[in-house]
Amino acid sequence: MNGLGRRCRCHSGGPAAWLIVMLPAGVLLLGCGQAPPPAPPPPPAPVVAAPPRPLGVDAIDEVVVMPTCSGKALLKVDRAGHAGEVAVAVGPSPDGITVRAEPIPGDSTSGMIVVTVSERLGDTEVVAALPVTVTLEGMTAQQTLTVKVPKLAPPAFAQDGLVVLQPGMTGTATLRIDRKGYKGQPLEVRAVEESAGITWSVEAIGREEDVATITLSVATEAEDGVRTIPLEASTLGRKFPTTLDVRILARPYRVDALRAVVLAPGESKTVELPVTRPAYAGPIDVSADGLPEGVTMEPVSVAAGGEQAVVVFRSAADAESQVRSATIRTAGGGFAAHEPIVIRIRKAGDEASLPAAVLGSPEVMQLMRRGSIGGRLTAASKRALSELYGGTTECEAAVARGLAWLARNQQPDGSWAVRGAGVAPSADRPPDEEPQNNVTAATALGILPFLGEGITHQRTPKEPVNFQFYKPVVEKGLVFLARHQVRAKGDADGFFGGSTSAHSLATIAFCEAYGLSRDERAKFNAKQGIKYLLTIQDNFGGGWCDKPREPGNLSVTGWVIIALRSGQLAGLSVSTKQLQLAERFVDSVAAGPDGSRGSRYCSTAGRPASDGMTAAGLLARLYLGWDKDEADLQAGRDSLMAHRPPLSADTLGPLSYYYDATQVLHHLEGDDFDVWNHLMREHLLRLQRTSGDLAGSWNPRGDDGDRLDATAIALLTLQVYYRHLPMYRDVKRSPTDSPSADKDADRAADAGPQSGLGGE
């Protein structure tokens, strides 16, 4: 149609309804005026029934459960339109995990699964995947429940500061507990083993508490030191070790009161007491008791951190002369302590003269020499001297017990056994060490304490009355020694037997027996004993040892010098020349520092100085005539005071040293002796046996190895107040005040009777 169009027919064969025009750009369809017939409708889709939705289980959250605890997991189901009760099953579960699930009611889509964990779990982490199955009308669904049991962290324990307790004290310690994985669990704390000297208890600990309070009691005899107490905490069948540290300290603080305070009647004196604080820094209250009559001290307080307690002692104007050991008591922070202090009331002139009861006795005056034995002749003079120098009624009782023990244990022949005095060991009495076979020394030591009380074979002070029964004891002992004294020509004439020291002790006994009794028979034995000592002296060095004329040692020479001086004090003559030779020996064993060589001593020349030899050397110096103001003597006194008896101890210690040092300080007198005497007296009183068949004796320990030695030396030390008159006081007597006063040495061995005690 050349692009202009053509006529077409209708599909129905009727008149054309549409004109199709072909154009270069496309086809143009033009209506021809007649509509086509409508299309028929599609056939309907077939009807198919929808399948039912299955029962479903939503995801279950992980549950974390601690041992001994229970946890819950929420279970949700998709019923998908189904009604009815849903059964729930879980399992299987590992040992120690228990699971309980209740059915889900028909009107609910959720339920709970309860998981319980045994206390057995928790040592390691446990993770368990538990299958959970739900069932409804024959339909089932499954999901996994993850149960986690964590590993438990053990409890941690921390002590709330170091506990400091005194012996005899009860206190508390705090143990802080971090329960960690065991929160809310019961917890018990106990000691694994006993700790020596400490008893304790623990308060019950609640489930939520984090503190254990432990009550501790310390025995009075417990020694200082840190004790570590093993503890054990237990919970859930598990045990956790820990420890508690307790420091036992007799003095958490110390107010250093031990000193001598001298007051004149009507005087006030301020005294500064240093305070040290090893373990307590708080305030301290200070008071005093046991002060002498007429003396007062107002209580004071030391501020926290204070380093000094300032106290004031006041003496009444009418206070009498006396010396007493008082007590400074302190308290602070639950602690308490006490320290001794010695108070002396001294009237003007007291330091220069002796009590009237001593000077007024005719019996005493016949032996009135400096350092002499006259003060023990009467009960009145003994009492006056004891009061002057610090003796007590407890001392008197201790001496009485000791004499009774010696008397009970004297052998039938008058001697004493060396060890144990013949008493067999028992459960109450451990056996002493092996005996030293020296009956001379034992017997002399057995006699000397009786002589120290003024008891001889012929006389005794009138008081106490029971001392009258001891005269036969002394006589039997002296007779035993006299019968064993050598009576023959030669160097051995006059020897009592045993060692040189034993012979010296026997000679001292006879010199004192003669001086107190004036029995010419005892004088003979004493003179013979002195003669033997002078015969065996080392003529070159001047000393003595256990072999005649051999180079000496100070241990033996010290006893010999005391024996010779005892003879002089009894009125017997001793060669001045030989005493001067003895002094040369003492010079040779001086071992003090440069500038004060005579303040310290050794046993033999060239050896180091020792405390025991220093005390023996200084005592020898006194007996050989040193002046009180000798510089080395004063330095020696300081050395002795640096090694004082202990405030507390359970053994005697170096008793020979204590005996010599006590005598030295007694003769020097003054504040040092007052302090020393308090310590020495209390040390001996504390350790004397007071019950059983050993009552009155002292247990041998240390350097003094047998009971007889220990008992005799302890008694002689307790008799120091009156056993010898002071060496540097005015005794109102002009003759022989020094070792050099007796000039006639040669007549000592020949004058007087020719037979002694026990002679035929």
Side-chain angles (χ1 to χ4, degrees):
M1 293 181 56
N2 297 323
L4 295 178
R6 70 177 58 168
R7 184 177 303 270
C8 77
R9 294 182 179 183
C10 294
H11 294 288
S12 62
W18 298 91
L19 177 64
I20 298 173
V21 181
M22 300 300 293
L23 296 176
V27 178
L28 175 64
L29 185 62
L30 300 174
C32 61
Q34 186 175 352
V47 177
V48 180
R53 285 192 298 115
L55 181 68
V57 180
D58 293 339
I60 306 174
D61 292 338
E62 177 183 271
V63 61
V64 178
V65 187
M66 306 296 290
T68 74
C69 296
S70 296
K72 294 180 179 180
L74 179 63
L75 170 66
K76 289 186 178 183
V77 298
D78 181 2
R79 288 179 171 273
H82 301 286
E85 184 178 85
V86 179
V88 181
V90 182
S93 58
D95 185 37
I97 298 177
T98 303
V99 180
R100 180 176 55 84
E102 297 292 337
I104 301 173
D107 59 352
S108 177
T109 60
S110 63
M112 287 292 180
I113 300 176
V114 179
V115 180
T116 302
V117 176
S118 166
E119 68 179 27
R120 299 192 304 275
L121 300 186
D123 292 335
T124 60
E125 183 182 57
V126 175
V127 179
L130 307 182
V132 178
T133 304
V134 296
T135 305
L136 173 63
E137 296 180 352
M139 297 180 291
T140 62
Q142 196 171 69
Q143 186 59 270
T144 299
L145 169 63
T146 300
V147 177
K148 181 181 288 185
V149 182
K151 178 181 178 181
L152 297 180
F157 305 90
Q159 184 171 341
D160 196 4
L162 179 64
V163 180
V164 179
L165 296 175
Q166 291 177 295
M169 182 179 178
T170 297
T172 59
T174 300
L175 195 64
R176 298 200 174 274
I177 306 169
D178 182 353
R179 292 175 178 263
K180 295 189 176 180
Y182 293 86
K183 290 182 179 178
Q185 302 300 330
L187 190 66
E188 180 184 358
V189 178
R190 69 179 186 87
V192 177
E193 60 187 48
E194 295 295 327
S195 181
I198 301 178
T199 58
W200 65 280
S201 62
V202 183
E203 296 180 7
I205 306 168
R207 287 177 177 268
E208 302 300 327
E209 293 179 7
D210 59 1
V211 172
T213 301
I214 303 172
T215 301
L216 302 150
S217 296
V218 181
T220 55
E221 67 274 11
E223 296 182 356
D224 282 6
V226 175
R227 308 284 197 279
T228 298
I229 303 174
L231 301 178
E232 185 177 81
S234 59
T235 183
L236 303 184
R238 295 169 174 82
K239 297 177 180 179
F240 303 98
T242 185
T243 58
L244 180 74
D245 289 335
V246 180
R247 183 181 182 187
I248 300 175
L249 191 60
R251 291 179 175 82
Y253 63 85
R254 181 170 184 175
V255 178
D256 186 7
L258 182 56
R259 68 203 57 228
V261 178
V262 181
L263 298 167
E267 182 182 9
S268 294
K269 182 169 287 188
T270 299
V271 179
E272 297 175 349
L273 308 178
V275 176
T276 54
R277 300 174 174 273
Y280 173 69
I284 302 171
D285 295 328
V286 183
S287 60
D289 63 20
L291 294 170
E293 185 176 356
V295 176
T296 59
M297 189 203 89
E298 291 295 325
V300 298
S301 291
V302 181
E307 298 179 350
Q308 198 173 72
V310 180
V311 297
V312 179
F313 293 97
R314 293 181 173 85
S315 174
D318 59 352
E320 294 294 328
S321 295
Q322 57 187 301
V323 59
R324 294 287 183 274
S325 292
T327 302
I328 297 296
R329 298 199 177 276
T330 57
F335 302 113
H338 61 274
E339 295 278 351
I341 190 168
V342 182
I343 308 294
R344 178 180 287 278
I345 302 174
R346 179 185 291 157
K347 295 182 179 179
D350 280 355
E351 68 279 4
S353 61
L354 291 171
V358 179
L359 296 173
S361 168
E363 291 181 280
V364 176
M365 290 304 294
Q366 66 180 336
L367 287 173
M368 191 55 67
R369 293 181 175 88
R370 293 181 179 180
S372 82
I373 60 178
R376 51 178 115 159
L377 275 167
T378 70
S381 63
K382 284 164 56 182
R383 188 177 303 112
L385 289 167
S386 182
E387 291 176 354
L388 174 63
Y389 289 114
T392 64
T393 55
E394 290 80 8
C395 283
E396 295 176 10
V399 169
R401 286 191 294 268
L403 295 182
W405 183 83
L406 288 173
R408 288 197 307 271
N409 291 287
Q410 187 179 33
Q411 303 298 303
D413 63 359
S415 68
W416 273 268
V418 176
R419 294 197 181 269
V423 179
S426 72
D428 182 51
R429 302 181 310 280
D432 294 330
E433 299 173 8
E434 289 299 315
Q436 298 172 347
N437 189 18
N438 195 334
V439 69
T440 301
T443 302
L445 284 170
I447 296 169
L448 285 172
F450 293 99
L451 294 169
E453 290 297 312
I455 303 167
T456 74
H457 57 300
Q458 291 185 334
R459 67 169 307 283
T460 185
K462 295 179 180 179
E463 299 175 13
V465 175
N466 64 307
F467 279 11
Q468 301 292 328
F469 299 108
Y470 292 145
K471 287 190 290 185
V473 173
V474 177
E475 182 173 16
K476 287 170 63 178
L478 291 172
V479 168
F480 176 87
L481 291 174
R483 286 178 175 172
H484 288 79
Q485 188 176 29
V486 175
R487 300 184 186 180
K489 294 181 179 180
D491 290 350
D493 188 31
F495 183 43
F496 285 107
S499 63
T500 302
S501 296
H503 172 87
S504 299
L505 288 167
T507 301
I508 294 168
F510 274 101
C511 289
E512 292 189 0
Y514 166 64
L516 294 169
S517 69
R518 315 313 291 175
D519 183 345
E520 292 292 320
R521 296 174 300 165
K523 179 180 181 181
F524 175 81
N525 298 112
K527 288 166 57 180
Q528 289 294 98
I530 291 173
K531 174 188 174 184
Y532 173 77
L533 290 174
L534 297 178
T535 299
I536 67 168
Q537 185 180 22
D538 172 20
N539 291 326
F540 177 75
W544 285 264
C545 71
D546 284 334
K547 294 182 179 180
R549 300 187 182 88
E550 291 289 323
N553 65 73
L554 184 55
S555 180
V556 174
T557 300
W559 282 115
V560 174
I561 291 173
I562 294 172
L564 299 179
R565 182 59 172 153
S566 295
Q568 287 185 316
L569 295 174
L572 303 177
S573 296
V574 177
S575 166
T576 302
K577 178 180 179 181
Q578 289 182 275
L579 288 173
Q580 290 172 341
L581 190 60
E583 187 168 16
R584 186 168 75 185
F585 169 79
V586 178
D587 287 339
S588 73
V589 293
D594 292 343
S596 185
R597 192 154 186 80
S599 64
R600 297 273 291 165
Y601 293 87
C602 59
S603 178
T604 56
R607 297 179 64 86
S610 69
D611 294 337
M613 290 301 96
T614 293
L618 292 173
L619 185 59
R621 291 294 198 185
L622 297 186
Y623 283 148
L624 291 170
W626 261 15
D627 291 334
K628 187 177 183 179
D629 57 0
E630 174 70 41
D632 283 0
L633 183 56
Q634 299 307 314
R637 175 173 64 182
D638 293 341
S639 175
L640 299 180
M641 291 303 294
H643 301 88
R644 305 181 300 191
L647 271 170
S648 62
D650 57 5
T651 59
L652 280 176
L655 193 54
S656 295
Y657 162 70
Y658 289 150
Y659 168 73
D660 288 340
T662 299
Q663 292 185 88
V664 172
L665 293 166
H666 167 249
H667 286 305
L668 295 179
E669 303 190 53
D671 293 355
D672 285 340
F673 175 70
D674 285 342
V675 171
W676 177 282
N677 175 63
H678 169 88
L679 293 170
M680 190 76 262
R681 181 190 69 215
E682 298 305 309
H683 178 65
L684 293 177
L685 294 180
R686 186 169 53 249
L687 296 179
Q688 187 184 35
R689 298 290 293 265
T690 57
S691 62
D693 55 5
L694 291 181
S697 71
W698 277 264
N699 292 342
R701 292 291 185 272
D703 296 336
D704 303 282
D706 80 67
R707 186 171 300 279
L708 180 68
D709 279 354
T711 299
I713 297 298
L715 290 173
L716 295 174
T717 304
L718 286 175
Q719 294 169 335
V720 69
Y721 316 111
Y722 45 79
R723 190 162 171 261
H724 290 279
L725 293 176
M727 200 170 289
Y728 297 107
R729 279 200 183 220
D730 183 3
V731 295
K732 307 293 184 183
R733 178 90 174 184
S734 56
T736 58
D737 282 343
S738 71
S740 60
D742 293 302
K743 303 294 185 182
D744 190 355
D746 296 330
R747 62 184 177 86
D750 299 324
Q754 299 302 304
S755 180
L757 281 169
E760 297 178 357

